Amino acid sequence: MSHPAVRSLHVHPVKSLRALARDEAEVQPWGLAGDRRWAVVDGDGKVVTQRRHARMALATAEQGPDGGIVLSAPGRAPLAVGVPAPRSTVTVDIFDAAVEAVPAGAAADAWFSDYLKDRVRLVHLDAPEHRRPIEPGYARPGETVSLADGYPLLVTTTASLDALNSLLARGDHADEGPLPMDRFRPNLVVEGTDPWAEDGWTRIAVGEVTFRVAKPCGRCVVTTTDQATAARGKEPLRTLARHRKFDGRLVFGQNLVPDTTGTIRVGDPVTVLG
């Protein structure tokens, strides 16, 4: 086994849109810089994801230097969206947590509504340092998260994906595999570990930045969505249900909370601290 190291880094500027690969990324207390600072919400303020609209996987938000984004999607003209001034906020329901966010404006709302054929809005998280606390049982006082599902970062390992694909190949839907890592939408992918080694981690260092391992990541229907075509299948949920079900959840990957900040890079060593 080689020494663990960062295989790839990924940010998702708009929650549930296509992931963007990065050679390096700044770790902020609430996640990677630019990761999930924007989200789509419905008329009731509930966050809209690939769980509801698989074709969100085909849309891209490229980041600008000022924090704005440029939206693009099949059949749609690109749209530049600047960071909205925080004159007023709306309440967003993100998995039963109420978070204040800033509306992006009518042009962005119309762009997404037309693309998804659903009446939705785009919102921006203007102040991640205080808008949304992490679940208390897994956080220290004052720790916050962006518009990610619940934690600042998600880590997966290539060895565990290989192991999962081996299990999938012996199952009822072997024709759906092997699956790529993008099904799991991680921020940080680590190579050079044993399969499922991350299950035993409690603290890690990536380069000089340290993280606590909060809890395993429970998986949902988004993992069955081909991120290149938006087609849905049965896997990996069928295989996870047989082999990776813990406390009623289908688990792949681990949620991280930064203890320190700094820049992490592809190729950085990953050290298990506990």
Side-chain angles (χ1 to χ4, degrees), residues 120-145:
V120 295
R121 307 176 73 183
L122 180 66
V123 298
H124 178 256
L125 186 68
D126 63 321
E129 66 275 12
H130 65 75
R131 289 291 191 199
R132 185 185 176 206
I134 298 173
E135 188 177 351
Y138 299 93
R140 295 168 180 163
E143 289 184 327
T144 60
V145 60

Side-chain angles (χ1 to χ4, degrees), residues 48 51 67 101 112 136 148 152 158-159 176 184 190 226 228 243 251 255 258:
V48 175
R51 296 167 178 85
F112 270 110
T158 57
E176 292 190 26
F184 302 95
V190 176
D226 187 320
H243 301 282
V251 169
N255 291 298

Side-chain angles (χ1 to χ4, degrees), residues 106-188:
D109 297 348
W111 191 95
F112 270 110
S113 295
D114 184 67
Y115 177 63
L116 298 177
K117 308 305 180 197
D118 192 2
R119 188 174 180 179
V120 295
R121 307 176 73 183
L122 180 66
V123 298
H124 178 256
L125 186 68
D126 63 321
E129 66 275 12
H130 65 75
R131 289 291 191 199
R132 185 185 176 206
I134 298 173
E135 188 177 351
Y138 299 93
R140 295 168 180 163
E143 289 184 327
T144 60
V145 60
S146 67
L147 295 172
D149 279 4
Y151 297 89
L153 284 89
L154 172 64
V155 61
T156 59
T157 68
T158 57
S160 294
L161 179 63
D162 290 343
L164 179 65
N165 277 323
S166 293
L167 295 170
L168 190 159
R170 300 194 292 271
D172 299 333
H173 299 277
D175 59 310
E176 292 190 26
L179 300 180
M181 189 65 86
D182 65 5
R183 291 291 188 94
F184 302 95
R185 300 181 62 79
N187 295 112
L188 172 63

Side-chain angles (χ1 to χ4, degrees), residues 10 18 21 26 56 66 75 90 109 121 132-133 137 140 146-147 159 170 178 199 227 267-268:
H10 309 270
R18 179 170 291 172
E26 180 189 353
M56 292 179 76
D66 59 353
V90 294
D109 297 348
R121 307 176 73 183
R132 185 185 176 206
R140 295 168 180 163
S146 67
L147 295 172
R170 300 194 292 271
D199 289 350
Q227 297 295 296
D268 274 353

Side-chain angles (χ1 to χ4, degrees), residues 15-16 36-42 44-49 51 91-101 123 125 131-133 145-151:
K15 183 177 180 65
S16 235
R36 297 176 172 98
R37 291 288 298 276
W38 304 77
V40 178
V41 301
D42 66 14
D44 295 322
K46 290 184 178 295
V47 165
V48 175
T49 72
R51 296 167 178 85
T91 301
V92 172
D93 180 349
I94 179 166
F95 306 120
D96 297 323
V99 182
E100 295 302 308
V123 298
L125 186 68
R131 289 291 191 199
R132 185 185 176 206
V145 60
S146 67
L147 295 172
D149 279 4
Y151 297 89

